[in-house]
Amino acid sequence: MLKPLKNPPPIHLKTLLSQLGFHHFSNNFSQTPIPFKDPPQNLVSEICHILSDPQWEKNPDLKALSPKLKSYHVSKILQIHNNTNSALRFFYWFSNRHFFKRDTSCFVSMLNRLVRECQFAHADHVRIQMIKACQNEDQLKRAISYLNEISGTGFVFTLYSFNTLLIQLGKFDMIGVAHDIYTKILNSEITPSLMTFNTMINMLCKKGKVQEAELVLSKIFQYDMCPDVFTYTSLILGHCRNANLKSAFEVFNRMVKEGCDPNSVTYSTLVNGLCNDGRVDEALDMIDEMIEKGIEPTVYTYTVPITSLCEVGRVDEAIELVGSMRTRGCNLNVHTITALISGLSRAGKLEIAIGLYHRMLKDGLLPTKLTYNALINELCAGGRFGVALKIFDWMEGHSMFPNAQTFNEIIKGFCMMGDVEKAMILFNKMLKAGPSPTVVTYNTLINQYLKSGNLNNAMRLLYMMKETRCEPDEWTYSELISGFCKGGKLDCASALFHEMMERGISPNQVSYTAMIDGYCKEGKLDIAQSLFKKMEESSCCPSIETYNAIINGLSKHNRFSEAEKLCNKLAELGLLPNVITYTSLIDGLCRNGGTDLAFKIFREMEKRNCSPNLYTYTSLIYGLCLEGKADDAEKLLEEMERKGLFPDEVTFTALIDGFVMLGRLDHAFLLLRRMVNVSCKPNYRTYSVLLKGLQKECQLLTEKVVAQHEAVYSCSSDERYTNFEMLCSLLTRLSENGCEPTVDTYCTLVRGLCREGRPWEADQLMENMKERSLSPNQEIYESLLVAHCKNLEVDYALKIFDWMAIRGYKPHLPIYKELICALCRASRVEEAQTLFESMLEKEWNNDEIVWTVFVDGLLKEGQLDICMKLLHVMEDRNYILNFQTYEILARELSKLDKSIETHQIADKLRVLRDIH
């Protein structure tokens, strides 16, 4: 039986009581809470004794004892001390101690005593302090509930306490409660002040509720008051929040006309409004105007224009504005510097941005999360991921907990480097300790798994995403559909397509085009065309890329009349065929022996000012070579180079193959040298074509010798030796043609041979490269290791694993999976477990370990008992898995029809459900 999770999350008493049916909790502060234990009487009585002296503030014992006092001690003292005035003095004195954290119970004890003795003036002051001390919405609601309760004893609100309460409600955006209090003031005998009205107007305008604010404005006139600069500035703010600049300036003109002088806040509000509306130049004029009128701009006036200038790429002007700002004695704040760092980085001035960050630290300004996000984002985008990671680590080390955006930037950085394992470690941190992963987090990781071809893990992340109530968006499904189509998994892509629609997300052009392209590549053109019609019917307008997908499919399958009709339809719809449209037609014709017609289309596209690209020329070169016209194809290569188009490995390989087919191997090797000279790396296909030529050449020579000597020719008894001799011949010819074999050469050959299941030749190549004093790289070792694991040559695979460790190479998780699975297949379970335990020390994401090693490895091979054994190893070492991973395991186990182990996982799931 699986053991339950160790260290389950603590269940708070309130939550527990709620689960047991006790749903109602009193918000009544007047009832003294029952402490877990009475405060030590000796400390409380000692303080009360000290307070009996009128000069108690000077008592040295009080200073020594006061740091030991907790809120419940103070509350008790305030309740039992025999002199109310001394208790009140002590309350104020203790409230000012730096170590004292204001607690509601102290305010309650003091107010209860003052109200009971009808000392309402002092009580009003404590009430105001209590309101100001509230740190969040919940605390303020509780305070209001308590204050309303004690007001029934004759202790009514004063105007000052009402206004303080309104201000505090505004701080926490509690507009509904504020409106109730405001109504209560109007219905009371208290005459509201201008501050009362201004507070309400400002609160409403911050939310853009200008019409409601104007109703409050009308009350100002009803009470024979005049709006002041704060009133008008608040109304201007409201209009700016609604992007109604016209009305904002009307209010501005009205206040000036009525003799109310605008201040720096008024101008700053208009400047910000103009910037947010994209009218940066007018905002800068506004700053000049206020300076001319003798109103000094503040840092808040400058911050938004500087940010706006940076956002539109006018960084030099932003720097000039900073200079002007500092000339006027206005120092930069953290928000201004953050905007500059972001703007400078985007403008390619990353070094200056980093310098500004260091200057900021030197000047004692503490960067905010926004600063770090901006810097980390731009460093990652600028390829300076190492520096970004150092800043991220510094944040964590200094208890400045990164937010989701910061985590997302670093995860994106790891993914850009292709290191999804480290990205998943951070993802695990987010799941366990927060902040919770966002849709951006999931999309970034899903995209990386799709890029690396790991479709299974991409789907598992989608499953986890849905189970954790992080809703997949249009982008999530589009990327998954596209990834599965590219991976040839059309059934899965189709299922995702339908799931997307069931979740109320309409497929977009990308999703439809990916599906249509996938069906075309599979030769299912009728389904593709049917889906194309469905796309049109659903009001999702096909893009040129959608048409190109179908034209490409039709062309490749020799259905040119249909492809031509579709091209004509493009013209009718006003969509101009692009280079991909023409190239699709040309490529299809060239593959089906229609090179002459392909060239007519090629000339036609040039006439229409549609420049051919690399793929257009490659298709034509391929077509000419198929027809035995390699010399003409080479002329086309020279033409494309004259036009500034650089051939890639596909272009060169097609041309090399053309000359090999003609038996002109020497010329083929000359082309290879030309390829290497322009820094175009040959791929395994390139070398395979040359090997084919060498084999043909060797065969012709052998036949010639046999004919001359009338000998009988016999092949080598072991084809592997013959193949390796041919590889050595290839390496020799490479050297003779000025293409000295490099580590990359060997890596390409070894990887290709391993993919073809030819590890013996690959091993010999590795020995050959060592003889040339070349060291194998990690890719070579990993390719060989995987190939030997597949052949169950475990001892040699372990030897390669050790060689990697000696050379400092760190194997990735899939390598561990291959080796562990191979050891298990060879019945070497103890060695597999030892290797698994050493792998756990890498601190990779626990869920990813289970997905890769257990689900994609051991369970796929039917190694169920070993899988369960290693799962126990993880749990015994307190490697916690997510609920969703257990569900994935249970699902995979049920496929194997092993009910006992499935029940074990089910038990684990029940334990987890109880915890969650």
Side-chain angles (χ1 to χ4, degrees), residues 260-273:
C260 182
D261 294 328
N263 59 17
S264 65
V265 180
T266 317
Y267 274 101
S268 298
T269 305
L270 283 167
V271 165
N272 293 352

Side-chain angles (χ1 to χ4, degrees), residues 677-847:
N677 287 342
V678 294
S679 301
C680 182
K681 287 184 182 179
N683 58 21
Y684 187 63
R685 163 83 180 137
T686 317
Y687 292 127
S688 297
V689 164
L690 290 166
L691 281 166
K692 181 180 70 176
L694 286 167
Q695 285 168 338
K696 188 178 176 183
E697 184 183 71
C698 181
Q699 188 179 347
L700 289 170
L701 284 170
T702 304
E703 287 172 1
K704 190 175 179 182
V705 170
V706 168
Q708 286 175 350
H709 296 86
E710 296 181 354
V712 177
Y713 172 69
S714 63
C715 293
S716 169
S717 58
D718 192 338
E719 190 183 341
R720 296 185 305 175
Y721 287 101
T722 307
N723 289 338
F724 180 62
E725 284 173 10
M726 205 56 62
L727 285 164
C728 289
S729 178
L730 172 67
L731 295 170
T732 303
R733 291 288 282 270
L734 288 174
S735 297
E736 289 171 357
N737 282 277
C739 303
E740 195 63 37
T742 63
V743 173
D744 278 342
T745 312
Y746 281 99
C747 185
T748 303
L749 287 166
V750 167
R751 284 172 59 200
L753 289 165
C754 289
R755 278 198 303 271
E756 290 180 353
R758 296 162 62 189
W760 187 86
E761 291 105 304
D763 286 334
Q764 299 308 308
L765 268 183
M766 185 172 74
E767 293 305 316
N768 183 281
M769 75 181 292
K770 287 178 182 175
E771 289 169 12
R772 291 174 180 257
S773 301
L774 293 172
S775 297
N777 62 15
Q778 185 163 350
E779 278 187 271
I780 290 174
Y781 281 123
E782 289 186 347
S783 297
L784 285 167
L785 187 147
V786 171
H788 284 291
C789 283
K790 283 177 180 171
N791 286 354
L792 216 58
E793 296 160 348
V794 182
D795 288 323
Y796 196 71
L798 286 169
K799 197 179 285 186
I800 294 170
F801 187 81
D802 291 338
W803 289 340
M804 289 177 70
I806 291 165
R807 284 158 180 77
Y809 295 133
K810 295 177 181 178
H812 296 294
L813 184 55
I815 298 300
Y816 277 96
K817 179 201 82 173
E818 293 292 341
L819 201 45
I820 289 165
C821 288
L823 285 165
C824 292
R825 287 200 306 276
S827 301
R828 294 163 67 170
V829 178
E830 286 186 12
E831 289 174 80
Q833 182 171 332
T834 302
L835 185 63
F836 182 76
E837 288 171 356
S838 72
M839 184 198 71
L840 290 178
E841 293 170 8
K842 306 291 179 188
E843 296 184 352
W844 284 325
N845 181 290
N846 300 332
D847 299 295

Side-chain angles (χ1 to χ4, degrees), residues 450 477-487 493 496 510-511 514-515:
L450 292 170
Y477 281 105
S478 296
E479 286 297 312
L480 281 163
I481 290 164
S482 179
F484 275 87
C485 286
K486 285 174 186 172
L496 284 164
V510 177
S511 311
M515 287 299 300

Side-chain angles (χ1 to χ4, degrees), residues 551-565:
I551 289 166
N552 186 42
L554 291 167
S555 300
K556 276 196 171 83
H557 290 85
N558 213 7
R559 292 164 64 171
F560 293 104
S561 58
E562 292 172 74
E564 193 177 1
K565 282 179 186 175

Side-chain angles (χ1 to χ4, degrees), residues 635-655:
K635 287 174 186 173
L636 210 55
L637 180 80
E638 288 162 0
E639 181 185 314
M640 68 182 287
E641 286 179 326
R642 284 196 301 273
K643 289 184 176 180
L645 292 171
F646 300 101
D648 65 1
E649 68 276 9
V650 179
T651 321
F652 274 113
T653 302
L655 192 53

